[in-house]
Amino acid sequence: MEAQGSTFIGFDDSFEESKAVLFGVPFDGTTSFKPGTRFAPSAMREDSWGLESYSPYQDKDLEDLKLFDYGNLEVPFGDKKKALRMIQEMTQEIIDAGKIPVMIGGEHLVSLGPVKALSKKYEDLHIIHFDAHTDLRKDYLGESLSHATVLRRIYDQVGDGKINQFCIRSGLKEEFEWAKEHVHLEKFTYTTLEQRVETLINKPVYITVDLDVFDPSVFPGTGTPEPGGIDFHDMLEIISILGRLQNVVGLDVVELSPKYDASGVSTAVACKTLRELVLATIK
Amino acid sequence: MEAQGSTFIGFDDSFEESKAVLFGVPFDGTTSFKPGTRFAPSAMREDSWGLESYSPYQDKDLEDLKLFDYGNLEVPFGDKKKALRMIQEMTQEIIDAGKIPVMIGGEHLVSLGPVKALSKKYEDLHIIHFDAHTDLRKDYLGESLSHATVLRRIYDQVGDGKINQFCIRSGLKEEFEWAKEHVHLEKFTYTTLEQRVETLINKPVYITVDLDVFDPSVFPGTGTPEPGGIDFHDMLEIISILGRLQNVVGLDVVELSPKYDASGVSTAVACKTLRELVLATIK
Amino acid sequence: MEAQGSTFIGFDDSFEESKAVLFGVPFDGTTSFKPGTRFAPSAMREDSWGLESYSPYQDKDLEDLKLFDYGNLEVPFGDKKKALRMIQEMTQEIIDAGKIPVMIGGEHLVSLGPVKALSKKYEDLHIIHFDAHTDLRKDYLGESLSHATVLRRIYDQVGDGKINQFCIRSGLKEEFEWAKEHVHLEKFTYTTLEQRVETLINKPVYITVDLDVFDPSVFPGTGTPEPGGIDFHDMLEIISILGRLQNVVGLDVVELSPKYDASGVSTAVACKTLRELVLATIK
Amino acid sequence: MEAQGSTFIGFDDSFEESKAVLFGVPFDGTTSFKPGTRFAPSAMREDSWGLESYSPYQDKDLEDLKLFDYGNLEVPFGDKKKALRMIQEMTQEIIDAGKIPVMIGGEHLVSLGPVKALSKKYEDLHIIHFDAHTDLRKDYLGESLSHATVLRRIYDQVGDGKINQFCIRSGLKEEFEWAKEHVHLEKFTYTTLEQRVETLINKPVYITVDLDVFDPSVFPGTGTPEPGGIDFHDMLEIISILGRLQNVVGLDVVELSPKYDASGVSTAVACKTLRELVLATIK
Amino acid sequence: MEAQGSTFIGFDDSFEESKAVLFGVPFDGTTSFKPGTRFAPSAMREDSWGLESYSPYQDKDLEDLKLFDYGNLEVPFGDKKKALRMIQEMTQEIIDAGKIPVMIGGEHLVSLGPVKALSKKYEDLHIIHFDAHTDLRKDYLGESLSHATVLRRIYDQVGDGKINQFCIRSGLKEEFEWAKEHVHLEKFTYTTLEQRVETLINKPVYITVDLDVFDPSVFPGTGTPEPGGIDFHDMLEIISILGRLQNVVGLDVVELSPKYDASGVSTAVACKTLRELVLATIK
Amino acid sequence: MEAQGSTFIGFDDSFEESKAVLFGVPFDGTTSFKPGTRFAPSAMREDSWGLESYSPYQDKDLEDLKLFDYGNLEVPFGDKKKALRMIQEMTQEIIDAGKIPVMIGGEHLVSLGPVKALSKKYEDLHIIHFDAHTDLRKDYLGESLSHATVLRRIYDQVGDGKINQFCIRSGLKEEFEWAKEHVHLEKFTYTTLEQRVETLINKPVYITVDLDVFDPSVFPGTGTPEPGGIDFHDMLEIISILGRLQNVVGLDVVELSPKYDASGVSTAVACKTLRELVLATIK
């Protein structure tokens, strides 16, 4: 009787006919400070119904795409390796069926799952990454698998020169130093995005958006607010540039922690970012 | 003994001597998702006392104008027709006395009341409208009177070419299509405002501000946060342009839902917007 | 075992070896509307651990400076004179040891304490002040010592032409009038900051930042939200200009009221502002 | 993939095989003070999954009953007559199929719908009513259909001597006076419940529980907290007595306003009350 | 137009005709931990309109008494001596006119004001005091005037054997020791209340209710929750006993901190306690 | 300068001289629904300073005992086995030094750590357990180590007839069945506690209190509110009975989730329960 909230708005086709498959990963098992990203996928599905499926920015409508919402993975808390394995298998299933995975986290560590599956299929996989934090630590509090190390673990999969980071505004000095040798890291802004996208137009690209790339005035719903980020108009411009990519093979939005923003604004920002990203890159 | 909060700051003259009359309409009866705009008029009166009546932007002071605060209309919940009738009658009373109505909503549907009264007096009534949403639906969930249809109902009153919409960033595709024929609708921005104001300098103009025109980072206190809006500096510029109008015959600010923003910031934004609007347009 | 939160991040040296000494003043005794700044120093210490000590903006690290955190002064509520005396004595102790005082308020009145001590040592003390409000009232609700009069009381110490105010957007008309004769007051913006800093390069300067200088979208954690302020990028630019000063003899950040912003964003903004200020001005 | 939350726990059978049919009515259109009961049905479904379906009190399990959850009625806001008509039709459909209606409100006015349908089928329909308030006003703010008049409207359907009210602790003097002639009203307590139940053992009985019968310490999630109510152990005893009834033909729980109790306790109380009521009276 | 909230319900007579005069004291200047009782008088006035003026417990109605609401005293923050002087003068004015003072705090220190005025008029003034805390310290953090010393200061006014304390469940060991010599102190319960009231039937009695005498489950809206208190039914019984007193010369309810209980329950408890107290003791 | 909050009140002796050693375990890694018990130890330490160290119930003072607060264990999130090992080692260190371990959780799983260490030292270790839930599942969501299985895992350590459960009001039917054979389980109440304590007077006993044994009206600060629990007076009676035990070898209080109760009441209840437990059982 009341289907609102059980799927993300516009994701109402069947798995078989779909071009892209959405799944949620309610996992925040390595979050050391303030947990809560586990609540993001359900919150986003529910509040997406306050949005239109039509984008006046792109003059496109989610209803015109074939999109399926798989629901959430039931990942075990307290076993990050098993959680990552489940995510990787889910991704494998989707790409085996010739579809594009679209993931809602959860904490940023979950991004390692799709990358592991996709980097097997695409030898030349490139990463475009938006974040407040470098996430390039070798390990964090003695653990190699963590939200603070996830891009370093992704680097272990894809290798030198494949990771492109934008808008980074926090990290250890040694992370910034290490980055100079191994990845493309732009601090604070995304002025080099356009040029990077040009070189990747037809390459297989995975896009990962840690939503704390937004300024906390725009997006307070995060466990680690870091002032100095981008605003929503910046994100629209970023997405407009990303829309030129011809081979986006997967994408995710992660790190919404909806309970830290009772007004619902952060969830709305996350939903609209996902709507615009999907409309721009799923072709 | 303690009058603070019983009137909006600076609205301390009598009805008789006043140039403009403020009234609140605590009505949110057609709000389908998250009710709460009924609390706006009282919240704005109370928190207005945290502001100064003097504007350093315009170097003007509300104390130098003759302004009366009538209090709130006691509108019945669950009877939108009766509520609208009461608002229309209130407006009639004010304009019969040669004064300018200034209304605080409530949900956006309440704007239909003043327009009905004013469009009888002014055949050539024009509307200037700021909003995140088109509000141009023919009906919404089977109802013709709704916050989502209010500008369409206002159109029924004033006709083709009289409505000017700015900063719109959400709606159905068919609303945007319909708008092309019947109203002036500028998406996202207000670059055409100056030119529109020029043509309306001496015309009777009603100004309606749905406060969700602000970006939710500036104004989270709304039931339907829609990222991508304007900031407060934009609003100051808008008001500066509106200040050129010589015949503003009424105005309203609507859709503040104060309980969704416990910090009080949204209420402060609403109050300061109203202060600046009144200082700029009541002459 | 668990020291996190007992000091501000990076302030882990001893008093003796330190260059600058931080102390908190949990005092909000003259706050007439919404108290709560008393909770700021502890909240900032605790949440500072969610930040890095390294600044990618300045490529500097708090760990490379010698900094001591003295903890909080135990000021009595309901006795503002005694509180101010304690703050002045604390400052005296720090400057007698040849160190630079760094204070976290508390309400803005606390800034009078350090200025009283410093103006005795430096005859030619200059003030650089960022705020939403003029704070220049002669008295407020009959009291001469108040958050709303503090810059006027500071003026009583330092005299004509020594106070430089930026980004001011609220006050009584008479305050703005008075300011024209006695202080440098720039409304809304900080375009004259660079030129003022040039003339003060080698002069003794005290910097006081009322955090409500930020727009409430950036910093909702205040008892008196006043829309129209600066954003975090503006603050970074301001700090970059302040970094040219060669003789900053003290500084404070005041008026964070952490409980009005449950998301923790305002506290993060306060912490990062303090980190950047210290990195730029403590030499 | 994720069915949790889409039905009330244990209500997982089909309509056809079911003995009782649950439906939600998210309507709070006549609530004059603090709206929000519209959110109750969905909140209860979601949080019911934090409960067990097994009751150690009664040593019974919802899984052993045949129960269907129909979802929510999509009632229009701002049209109470139409809303009541839809509820009545829904009830009719359920009783026509030989099943027992179980309703989650919404505000108390919704109880009029099932009573209208049931009083046609059962000439001798009796009401057992738990509440803080009499709800016996002839009209309220000029309206005859209101949460404050609902038992009076039910009286119009069932007539003298059919309504049994318990634990009532608030009302106008004239309501208590009127009650003496027309209904069985026990103030504050339920000492006469057992005797009333004895006389109604085989009669058709409709049970309506306004959850504000609980003390607000137990159940703060209501728009009108009224100290002096019962606790959960009282409710268990009440339900144990109600369990002797052999012909309960319908029941409802109304007036949970989940957003006023962020801890989730009130929703848990509502869920467990419903679980125990169903286990005791659906046979 | 909208008077709701500007007076406490039922206090709608003029000063001249009134029997009792209510005034609020929004003062929390000595609160060392969590301020906020300053908001109580206004919150109670506003929320009192959710209550009936009729009490089914006593079968009495506030409308049948002559009662005046004076509004709030504008006490200065940060000057407790001046605040107390203003309260004393207010009380003097009321008793000079032959009326009974009814005060809403504010923190408990405010009770000293009425006692000072009344103890001059009534040599034989007795105090009946309900509280979680002894409040008998000689001084607190070096201050002699404090919420934690107020009963000791009252003792200084009225002397040995005049103070009767009930339900006390927290204090220093030395306070309990001191009490044995000088006051009647009953720990945890009020079993001796009836007997004490008998001896005071015709004596002048001042009643002071620190609302934290309630268990925090009933009344969470306090800065210092102390488990183990009484419930609302206990309070009704207490008030029923107090109703036998023939010469209550003043009363207060203090220490509601409404912002710590967003559900509004604590404010409702405070309002209903005051309604019942007034109905029982003002004759 | 400001030590308040860094230790639990009254725990201010050194490790060497102490009789009992407190440590916190901020672990909620297996919490499947609403995490947050990780914040309990720090919240309890901080808010304990709002309590007195003196108990008027027992006429004893924590200051008269020798007590040390070790701080928190830095347990890794996402590795429950390592976390349990660290807790076991901490306990071992404490009992090797001849002292009594007192633990603050964290989720209930942490109780397995002390029991593992203590059951090696005391062959005849008995458990007294207060809880809303049986916690006797063989496994939960496929995991053998979980908050929902912890008493079963403790059973694996201590064997038949050693576990005594009181006030249990929720669980699967099979858990209650299994319990009949293997443990002493009293549903809802603690009427058999006195008799059980008599038989254990000189036996080594470990006490574990899942604070959700309280009714959620008393203790809303939990992720899984379960109506129908005990109140604070019950707990005082329970503690009074436990005070007869002569050989309590360890104890814990677990499952406070402070952020779900913004009023701070739940944290106060937890603190006072711990104070009373320690005063009664540490000899």
Side-chain angles (χ1 to χ4, degrees), chain E residues 97-129:
Chain E
K99 300 165 193 313
I100 298 171
V102 175
M103 181 174 65
I104 300 177
E107 58 157 77
H108 208 162
L109 178 59
V110 301
S111 299
L112 184 55
V115 169
K116 277 192 160 180
L118 288 163
S119 65
K120 280 182 189 155
K121 178 166 181 187
Y122 303 102
E123 219 175 289
D124 191 30
L125 184 68
H126 292 257
I127 309 292
I128 298 185
H129 170 223

Coordinates of all heavy atoms in Angstrom, one line a residue, chain E residues 97-129:
Chain E
A97 N -0.5 45.1 50.0 CA -1.9 45.2 49.4 C -2.8 44.1 50.0 O -3.9 43.9 49.5 CB -1.8 45.1 47.9
G98 N -2.3 43.3 50.9 CA -3.1 42.3 51.5 C -3.3 41.0 50.6 O -4.3 40.3 50.8
K99 N -2.4 40.8 49.7 CA -2.5 39.6 48.8 C -1.4 38.6 49.1 O -0.5 38.9 49.8 CB -2.5 40.2 47.4 CG -3.6 41.1 47.1 CD -3.4 41.9 45.8 CE -4.3 43.1 45.8 NZ -5.7 42.8 46.1
I100 N -1.6 37.5 48.5 CA -0.6 36.4 48.7 C 0.3 36.3 47.5 O -0.1 36.1 46.4 CB -1.4 35.1 48.9 CG1 -2.3 35.2 50.1 CG2 -0.5 33.9 49.0 CD1 -3.3 34.0 50.3
P101 N 1.6 36.3 47.8 CA 2.6 36.1 46.7 C 2.7 34.7 46.3 O 2.9 33.8 47.1 CB 3.9 36.7 47.3 CG 3.7 36.4 48.7 CD 2.3 36.5 49.1
V102 N 2.7 34.5 45.0 CA 3.0 33.1 44.4 C 4.1 33.3 43.3 O 3.9 34.1 42.4 CB 1.7 32.6 43.7 CG1 2.0 31.3 42.9 CG2 0.6 32.5 44.6
M103 N 5.2 32.7 43.6 CA 6.4 33.0 42.7 C 6.8 31.7 41.9 O 6.8 30.6 42.4 CB 7.6 33.4 43.6 CG 8.8 33.7 42.9 SD 10.1 34.4 44.0 CE 10.5 33.0 45.0
I104 N 7.2 32.0 40.7 CA 7.8 30.9 39.8 C 9.3 31.3 39.6 O 9.6 32.4 39.1 CB 7.1 30.9 38.4 CG1 5.6 30.6 38.5 CG2 7.8 29.8 37.6 CD1 4.9 30.6 37.2
G105 N 10.2 30.4 40.0 CA 11.6 30.6 39.8 C 11.9 30.2 38.4 O 11.0 29.7 37.7
G106 N 13.1 30.3 37.9 CA 14.3 30.6 38.6 C 14.9 29.5 39.5 O 14.2 28.6 39.8
E107 N 16.1 29.8 39.9 CA 16.8 28.9 40.7 C 16.3 29.1 42.2 O 15.7 30.1 42.5 CB 18.3 29.2 40.7 CG 18.7 30.6 41.0 CD 20.1 30.8 41.5 OE1 21.0 30.7 40.6 OE2 20.3 30.9 42.7
H108 N 16.7 28.1 43.0 CA 16.1 28.1 44.4 C 16.5 29.3 45.2 O 15.8 29.7 46.1 CB 16.5 26.8 45.1 CG 15.5 26.4 46.1 ND1 15.4 25.2 46.6 CD2 14.5 27.1 46.7 CE1 14.4 25.1 47.5 NE2 13.8 26.3 47.6
L109 N 17.7 30.0 44.9 CA 18.1 31.1 45.7 C 17.0 32.2 45.8 O 16.8 32.9 46.8 CB 19.4 31.7 45.1 CG 19.9 33.0 45.9 CD1 20.2 32.7 47.3 CD2 21.1 33.6 45.2
V110 N 16.1 32.3 44.7 CA 15.1 33.3 44.7 C 14.1 33.2 45.9 O 13.5 34.2 46.3 CB 14.3 33.4 43.4 CG1 15.3 33.6 42.2 CG2 13.5 32.1 43.2
S111 N 14.0 32.0 46.5 CA 13.1 31.9 47.6 C 13.4 32.8 48.8 O 12.6 33.0 49.7 CB 13.0 30.4 48.0 OG 12.6 29.6 47.0
L112 N 14.7 33.1 48.9 CA 15.1 34.0 50.0 C 14.4 35.3 50.0 O 14.1 35.9 51.1 CB 16.6 34.2 50.0 CG 17.2 34.9 51.1 CD1 16.9 34.3 52.4 CD2 18.8 35.0 51.0
G113 N 14.1 35.8 48.8 CA 13.4 37.1 48.7 C 12.0 37.2 49.4 O 11.9 38.0 50.3
P114 N 11.1 36.3 49.1 CA 9.8 36.4 49.8 C 9.9 36.1 51.3 O 9.2 36.7 52.1 CB 9.0 35.3 49.1 CG 9.6 35.1 47.7 CD 11.1 35.4 47.9
V115 N 10.8 35.2 51.6 CA 10.9 34.9 53.1 C 11.4 36.1 53.8 O 10.9 36.3 54.9 CB 11.9 33.7 53.2 CG1 12.2 33.5 54.7 CG2 11.3 32.4 52.7
K116 N 12.3 36.9 53.2 CA 12.8 38.1 53.9 C 11.6 39.0 54.2 O 11.5 39.6 55.3 CB 13.9 38.7 53.1 CG 15.3 38.1 53.3 CD 16.3 39.0 52.7 CE 17.7 38.7 53.3 NZ 18.7 39.6 52.7
A117 N 10.8 39.2 53.2 CA 9.7 40.1 53.3 C 8.7 39.6 54.3 O 8.2 40.3 55.2 CB 9.0 40.4 52.0
L118 N 8.3 38.3 54.2 CA 7.3 37.7 55.0 C 7.7 37.6 56.4 O 6.9 37.7 57.3 CB 6.9 36.4 54.4 CG 6.0 36.4 53.1 CD1 6.0 35.1 52.4 CD2 4.6 36.9 53.4
S119 N 9.0 37.3 56.7 CA 9.4 37.1 58.0 C 9.4 38.4 58.8 O 9.5 38.4 60.1 CB 10.8 36.4 58.1 OG 11.8 37.3 57.5
K120 N 9.4 39.5 58.1 CA 9.2 40.8 58.8 C 7.8 40.9 59.3 O 7.5 41.5 60.3 CB 9.6 41.9 57.9 CG 11.1 42.1 57.9 CD 11.5 43.3 57.0 CE 13.0 43.3 56.8 NZ 13.3 44.0 55.6
K121 N 6.9 40.5 58.5 CA 5.4 40.7 58.8 C 5.0 39.6 59.8 O 4.2 39.9 60.7 CB 4.6 40.5 57.5 CG 3.1 40.7 57.7 CD 2.3 40.9 56.5 CE 0.8 41.0 56.8 NZ 0.0 41.1 55.6
Y122 N 5.5 38.4 59.6 CA 5.0 37.3 60.5 C 6.2 36.8 61.3 O 7.1 36.2 60.8 CB 4.5 36.1 59.6 CG 3.4 36.5 58.7 CD1 3.6 36.7 57.4 CD2 2.0 36.6 59.2 CE1 2.5 37.1 56.5 CE2 1.0 37.0 58.4 CZ 1.2 37.2 57.0 OH 0.2 37.5 56.2
E123 N 6.2 37.2 62.6 CA 7.3 36.8 63.4 C 7.4 35.3 63.5 O 8.5 34.8 63.6 CB 7.0 37.3 64.8 CG 8.2 37.9 65.5 CD 7.7 38.5 66.8 OE1 7.1 39.6 66.8 OE2 8.0 37.9 67.9
D124 N 6.3 34.6 63.4 CA 6.3 33.2 63.6 C 6.2 32.4 62.3 O 5.5 31.4 62.2 CB 5.0 32.9 64.5 CG 5.0 31.5 65.0 OD1 6.1 30.9 65.2 OD2 3.9 31.0 65.2
L125 N 6.9 32.9 61.3 CA 6.8 32.3 60.0 C 7.4 30.9 59.9 O 8.6 30.7 60.4 CB 7.5 33.2 58.9 CG 7.4 32.7 57.5 CD1 6.0 32.8 56.9 CD2 8.4 33.5 56.6
H126 N 6.7 29.9 59.4 CA 7.2 28.6 59.2 C 7.4 28.3 57.7 O 6.7 28.8 56.9 CB 6.2 27.6 59.8 CG 6.1 27.7 61.3 ND1 6.7 26.8 62.2 CD2 5.5 28.6 62.1 CE1 6.5 27.1 63.4 NE2 5.7 28.2 63.4
I127 N 8.3 27.4 57.5 CA 8.6 27.0 56.1 C 8.3 25.5 55.9 O 8.7 24.7 56.7 CB 10.1 27.2 55.8 CG1 10.6 28.6 56.3 CG2 10.5 26.9 54.4 CD1 10.0 29.8 55.4
I128 N 7.6 25.2 54.9 CA 7.5 23.8 54.4 C 8.2 23.7 53.1 O 7.9 24.4 52.1 CB 6.0 23.3 54.4 CG1 5.4 23.4 55.8 CG2 5.9 21.9 53.8 CD1 4.0 22.9 55.9
H129 N 9.1 22.7 53.0 CA 10.1 22.7 51.9 C 10.2 21.3 51.4 O 10.5 20.3 52.1 CB 11.5 23.1 52.5 CG 12.6 22.9 51.6 ND1 13.8 22.4 52.0 CD2 12.8 23.1 50.3 CE1 14.7 22.4 51.0 NE2 14.1 22.8 50.0

